């Protein structure tokens, strides 16, 4: 169907709806993506050991940049940037594992500067390689992308589990040092009888770990998500995770588990300043890590854009696809500058376009404007940061588990019956991805410079899957239909 056959010769994608309808539908898109948008800055901010007010700042910065990049992608910025389809942009979960590995090895402001430097560099490289991505798709067939997304989900699961029960280190660790033994050691040190290098191992059960109240809150959140997803219809069903988080937050507040001091102290309006943590640093290994994430993001986005063009019934030209992928790279550069992370199109919003039948890209432009406003209100970020981790843990099981389930769904299209080599690719790649998870100190005798690279199970799985697929199956051409179908089932 040509554009001329539509009313007034305007394709539904380019239709400008009345302002009240635009804002209402845009807000719906914001609600659908909100839980995913706030999850990554919470995870990475806490992995960097940043204080609560700076984690809240990361959340505000993320919402702000989500809005900017969504507008660039949907509205278009010159002929070079923007797919000009209804797209909402958010941080890709493919980046979480590598970023947490970097944050864990180099916490604090120093780690943040290195992380944002790597993100900026990866975004610049993403802009450059965007037009050539279609030629690299043959190295990422479903057996590779499915394995990679499955590994991402599995790697993220411990984060959600630790949110429920308590972190393995710090005040909520499973065991703590016996206070009486610590007092004796301090006295012995003061008397000069014990070397300063002597420390005590934690031996006393920590009452803060796996507390019954925390488990019940997490179960309530999980149960709410399950009930809403099963019995609710339409839009409410699409925001089941957000509903679960809200219910858990209300109950936690009623039980006195939330402190609103930071919310009260936060300002009503504040500009998101670039380079909040100082000028970024550029570590070659971290850049290589994030470039691989950028490559995976561009592959995923290609499938997503092709799927969205199907839903919108608007054929996608190579020039438009390249402009959309460049916008992914530009969004990642903007993210690094404004203290946030790599960006890609959110598939739940692509699904919402199909559910509602509203194809106007200006709805997502309105959604982007709403995200910018939310990002400029620090109280919003402070409120999200004040949520107890156990509330997020109940939702994390669903969010991270769905990532793994999406990988399984993509792998379901892989031929395992007549090509047993595909079994080797999946088995070995997932096993390699589990090494840093199961044996975090496996790299203690290896050069420290490569630790951030090999400490990411996702990267190990990606490299292994690409190499093994090339070894067993070669680099056969992947047809556009397969990529389009992957876009329909992919999730973030």
């Amino acid at each position: 169907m040509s554009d001329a056959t539509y009313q007034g010769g305007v394709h539904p994608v380019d239709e400008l709806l009345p302002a009240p309808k635009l804002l209402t539908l845009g807000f719906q898109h914001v609600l659908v993506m909100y839980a995913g948008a706030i999850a990554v800055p919470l995870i990475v901010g806490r992995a960097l050991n940043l204080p609560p007010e700076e984690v809240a700042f990361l959340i505000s910065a993320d919402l702000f940049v989500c809005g900017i990049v969504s507008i660039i992608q949907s509205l278009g910025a010159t002929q070079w940037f923007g797919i000009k389809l209804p797209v909402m942009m958010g941080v890709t979960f493919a980046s979480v594992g590598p970023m947490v590995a970097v944050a864990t090895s180099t916490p604090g402001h120093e780690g943040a500067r290195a992380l944002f430097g790597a993100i900026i560099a990866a975004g610049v490289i993403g802009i450059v390689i965007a037009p050539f991505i279609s030629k690299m798709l043959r190295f990422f067939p479903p057996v590779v992308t499915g394995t990679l997304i499955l590994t991402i989900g599995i790697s993220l699961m411990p984060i959600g589990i630790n949110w429920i029960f308590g972190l393995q280190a710090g005040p909520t660790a499973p065991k703590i040092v016996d206070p009486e033994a610590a007092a004796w050691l301090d006295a012995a040190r003061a008397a000069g009888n014990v070397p300063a290098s002597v420390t005590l191992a934690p031996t006393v059960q920590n009452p803060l770990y796996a507390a019954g109240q925390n488990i019940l809150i997490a179960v309530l959140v999980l149960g709410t998500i399950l009930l809403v997803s099963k019995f609710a219809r339409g839009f409410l069903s699409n925001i089941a995770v957000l509903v679960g988080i809200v219910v858990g937050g209300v109950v936690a507040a009623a039980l006195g588990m939330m402190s609103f001091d930071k919310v009260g102290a936060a300002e009503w309006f504040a500009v998101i300043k670039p380079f909040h943590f100082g000028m970024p640093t550029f570590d070659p290994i971290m850049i290589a890590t994030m470039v691989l994430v950028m490559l995976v993001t561009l592959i995923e986005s290609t499938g997503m854009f092709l799927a969205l063009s199907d839903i919108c019934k608007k054929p996608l030209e190579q020039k438009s696809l390249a402009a959309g992928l460049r916008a992914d790279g530009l969004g990642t550069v903007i993210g690094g500058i404004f203290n946030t992370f790599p960006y890609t199109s959110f598939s739940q919003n692509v699904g919402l376009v199909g559910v509602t039948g509203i194809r106007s890209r200006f709805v997502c432009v309105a959604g982007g404007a709403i995200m910018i406003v939310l990002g400029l209100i620090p109280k919003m970020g402070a409120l999200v940061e004040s949520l107890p981790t156990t509330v997020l843990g109940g939702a994390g099981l669903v969010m991270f588990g769905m990532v793994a389930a999406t990988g399984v769904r993509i792998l379901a299209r892989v031929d395992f019956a007549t090509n047993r080599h595909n079994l080797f690719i999946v088995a070995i790649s997932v096993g390699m991805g589990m090494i840093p998870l199961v044996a975090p100190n496996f790299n203690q005798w290896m050069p420290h410079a490569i630790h951030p690279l090999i400490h990411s199970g996702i990267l190990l799985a990606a490299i292994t899957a690409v190499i093994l697929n090339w070894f067993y199956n070669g680099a056969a051409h992947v047809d556009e239909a397969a990529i389009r179908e992957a876009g329909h089932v992919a999730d973030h």
Side-chain angles (χ1 to χ4, degrees):
M1 185 181 289
S2 67
D3 288 0
T5 61
Y6 293 104
Q7 186 177 4
V10 177
H11 194 285
V13 166
D14 301 314
E15 183 182 3
L16 184 59
L17 303 175
K21 195 171 184 180
L22 270 182
L23 288 174
T24 303
L25 293 169
F27 189 63
Q28 180 175 252
H29 270 284
V30 170
L31 287 177
V32 166
M33 69 175 293
Y34 195 80
I38 64 176
V40 177
L42 273 172
I43 295 167
V44 178
R46 286 170 177 170
L48 283 166
N49 290 329
L50 296 177
E53 59 272 14
E54 292 197 333
V55 176
F57 170 80
L58 286 182
I59 294 167
S60 294
D62 183 37
L63 295 174
F64 178 74
V65 178
C66 275
I68 291 175
V69 184
S70 295
I71 291 173
I72 291 173
Q73 192 68 274
S74 299
L75 187 62
T78 74
Q79 61 177 324
W80 303 105
F81 299 100
I83 195 74
K84 296 182 181 177
L85 289 173
V87 175
M88 291 297 289
M89 301 288 285
V91 181
T92 172
F93 272 105
S95 66
V96 174
M99 290 194 299
V100 168
V102 170
T104 304
S105 62
T106 317
H109 283 208
E110 182 183 349
R113 289 196 299 272
L115 188 57
F116 296 136
I119 289 169
I120 291 170
V124 171
I125 293 171
I127 293 172
V128 174
I129 66 174
F132 308 104
I133 280 299
S134 59
K135 298 178 181 178
M136 302 184 67
L137 289 174
R138 59 199 184 104
F139 294 103
F140 290 84
V143 69
V144 174
T145 55
T147 300
L148 182 55
I149 294 172
L150 172 62
T151 306
I152 290 170
I154 295 172
S155 299
L156 291 173
M157 288 301 285
I159 296 172
I161 292 169
N162 285 333
W163 274 350
I164 296 172
F165 301 109
L167 301 178
Q168 296 300 302
T172 59
K175 291 186 177 181
I176 56 176
V177 172
D178 186 339
E180 293 184 5
W184 173 85
L185 182 61
D186 289 341
R189 273 210 194 98
N193 298 327
V194 177
S197 60
V198 174
T199 57
L200 296 172
T203 56
V204 177
Q205 300 291 342
N206 185 357
L208 297 179
Y209 183 78
Q213 182 172 264
N214 290 356
I215 296 174
L216 288 175
I217 292 286
V219 169
L220 172 67
V221 173
L222 181 58
T224 302
I225 294 170
L226 294 175
L227 290 172
V228 172
S229 64
K230 179 173 174 60
F231 296 109
R233 292 291 178 267
F235 172 61
L236 188 60
S237 177
N238 289 334
I239 60 168
V241 172
L242 186 61
V243 173
I245 291 174
V246 170
V247 170
V250 169
V251 173
L255 294 174
M257 297 172 64
M258 286 182 66
S259 170
F260 296 98
D261 294 344
K262 295 287 192 302
V263 180
E267 299 176 29
W268 277 106
F269 176 84
V271 175
I272 304 297
K273 297 178 181 177
F275 307 124
H276 174 80
F277 298 95
M279 291 304 293
T281 58
F282 299 93
D283 181 278
I285 298 297
M286 290 187 188
I287 291 172
T289 303
M290 296 313 298
V291 166
L292 187 50
V293 169
M294 192 75 236
L295 183 61
V296 172
T297 297
L298 294 176
I299 298 290
E300 288 179 357
S301 291
T302 299
M304 206 74 63
F305 293 148
L306 290 170
L308 188 58
S309 74
D310 265 3
I311 293 170
C312 293
K313 295 182 173 59
K314 185 169 187 179
L316 195 60
E317 299 176 354
Q318 184 67 34
K319 182 180 177 182
S320 298
L321 177 59
L325 297 178
R326 280 195 204 96
D328 275 14
L330 178 62
T332 300
V333 173
I334 295 171
I337 291 172
F338 283 94
N339 323 285
T340 180
F341 313 108
Y343 286 86
T344 187
S345 53
F346 260 32
S347 62
Q348 52 264 52
N349 294 87
V350 173
L352 184 61
V353 173
V355 169
T356 62
I358 304 295
R359 293 177 270 169
S360 171
R361 59 193 173 103
F362 294 101
V363 168
C364 290
V365 172
I370 292 169
M371 296 289 277
I372 290 174
V373 171
L374 291 175
L376 295 174
I377 303 174
K379 283 189 184 294
M380 289 295 299
L383 179 62
V384 172
E385 199 285 326
S386 67
L387 282 170
T389 54
T390 185
V391 172
L392 298 169
L397 286 181
V398 179
M399 289 191 296
F400 304 149
M402 286 298 287
V403 177
T406 298
V408 172
R409 188 164 53 170
I410 293 173
L411 288 173
R413 298 186 294 105
V414 174
D415 177 17
F416 292 110
T418 60
N419 185 353
R420 66 187 185 91
H421 294 148
N422 286 332
L423 289 170
F424 282 92
I425 296 169
V426 177
I428 297 170
S429 301
V430 171
M432 290 292 287
M434 293 303 96
I435 289 175
L437 207 61
V438 178
N441 296 320
F442 79 99
N443 56 0
Q444 66 182 25
W445 304 116
M446 300 178 188
H448 191 270
I450 66 170
H451 281 199
L453 185 63
I454 61 176
H455 199 66
S456 168
I458 296 167
L459 253 63
L460 291 179
I463 294 169
T464 304
V466 169
I467 292 174
L468 288 180
N469 179 66
W470 175 79
F471 174 70
Y472 281 122
N473 300 326
H477 175 72
V478 179
D479 66 13
E480 190 174 290
I483 302 164
R484 196 183 302 268
E485 187 178 348
H488 275 293
V489 302
D491 203 356
H492 297 91

